Amino acid sequence: TPLDVVKIRLQAQNNPFPKGKCFVYSNGLMDHLCVCEEGGNKAWYKKPGNFQGTLDAFLKIVRNEGIKSLWSGLPPTLVMAVPATVIYFTCYDQLSALLRSKLGENETRIPIVAGIVARFGAVTVISPLELIRTKMQSKKFSYKELHRFVSKKVSEDGWISLWRGWAPTVLRDVPFSAMYWYNYEILKKWFCEKSGLYEPTFMINFTSGALSGSFAAVVTLPFDVVKTQKQTQLWTYASHKISMPLHMSTWVIMKNIVAKSGFSGLFTGLIPRLIKIAPACAIMISTYEFGKAFFQKQNVRRQQY
């Protein structure tokens, strides 16, 4: 969760130096008119609260808001984890088994199809919780404020407003899932062949999960940035009572990010996402496979007796 908070803060912060703009800076004695030059990030003025990187964000959040802020949005994360994991893994396993019985054991497209369908279902179910979690991590505010904001949006725009950010979430998670499972199955087979093993060990599952998760995380990061922007803008516009440009597409938001921050803006928060995703995928899949193998052995023993 701390890595998630840092990633979302990095993605949600505004560029303090838009090209061709200027601002007034008051130091208490006099006002200065400061021009933002082309190389704006080299300017002497550092906007308060603006994060320069992952470590800088960690330190500033702890110093300004306290260490507890690094665990913002933990309750919805925990509430979200159970249905998301149950739906995702059950769907993937059942679909894989069904497709193998129809297409054969060695069909390479099975992990891609099963991964896409399973993730699509899980994302759709937990999208409102993802919205609430993103808001809680992007800005420090109370549950009372959150409840008031959610109630207001539901009464104004209906329940469908809680699925804001669903499209970029699907664009991020569905390709992630397809790439993750495809690469995971290939790497697992490759490691087994190299080790001369018939069944993968805990470490083979762990390594395959980490590598395939890291690759998928890098490729799908631009959609993660768009999702964060879309979900945090909803709060920003509502709290400042500004009319929000409705139905801003994922492509338009991407173009705006590139215009403001350059192409690298689409990969904001890469380091905390990688630090989080690689071990998360590795732990998740290795413990899942270990648990599955354990219970399969238990079932075989029961049938024997």
Side-chain angles (χ1 to χ4, degrees), residues 10 20-21 23 50 58-59 87 91 98 102 107 124 133 157 163 190 231 241 266 288 296-297:
L10 285 166
K21 298 282 180 75
F23 64 95
N50 188 59
F58 262 113
L59 296 172
I87 294 164
C91 281
L98 179 72
K102 302 279 184 191
E107 178 54 64
T124 304
R133 184 185 66 147
D157 305 327
W163 272 263
W190 187 77
Q231 292 180 333
K241 294 179 174 61
L266 292 173
Y288 174 73
Q296 278 171 349
K297 282 173 189 172

Side-chain angles (χ1 to χ4, degrees), residues 171-281:
L171 288 168
R172 177 197 69 178
D173 286 0
V174 169
F176 178 96
S177 192
M179 283 184 277
Y180 172 72
W181 285 109
Y182 180 74
N183 290 323
Y184 170 72
E185 297 291 353
I186 283 176
L187 284 166
K188 193 169 68 169
K189 279 180 188 172
W190 187 77
F191 281 125
C192 283
E193 284 169 12
K194 288 285 175 188
S195 310
L197 297 167
Y198 178 70
E199 285 292 321
T201 61
F202 183 86
M203 276 313 296
I204 285 175
N205 288 329
F206 190 92
T207 309
S208 303
L211 291 172
S212 54
S214 299
F215 174 75
V218 173
V219 175
T220 58
L221 184 63
F223 297 109
D224 186 51
V225 176
V226 172
K227 177 196 75 74
T228 301
Q229 295 256 331
K230 215 165 191 176
Q231 292 180 333
T232 53
Q233 275 171 10
L234 189 67
W235 168 262
T236 308
Y237 280 100
S239 58
H240 292 93
K241 294 179 174 61
I242 306 165
S243 59
M244 187 182 178
L246 293 169
H247 310 301
M248 219 172 165
S249 72
T250 300
W251 178 244
V252 169
I253 294 172
M254 274 188 168
K255 285 206 289 188
N256 289 346
I257 291 166
V258 172
K260 278 183 187 175
S261 313
F263 189 72
S264 61
L266 292 173
F267 291 89
T268 307
L270 176 63
I271 292 167
R273 182 161 160 82
L274 268 180
I275 295 169
K276 175 201 160 189
I277 290 283
C281 284

Side-chain angles (χ1 to χ4, degrees), residues 286-305:
S286 52
T287 49
Y288 174 73
E289 294 280 15
F290 179 81
K292 197 166 70 170
F294 173 80
F295 287 112
Q296 278 171 349
K297 282 173 189 172
Q298 294 293 317
N299 290 340
V300 170
R301 278 180 193 168
R302 279 184 187 175
Q303 284 167 3
Q304 284 173 349
Y305 296 114

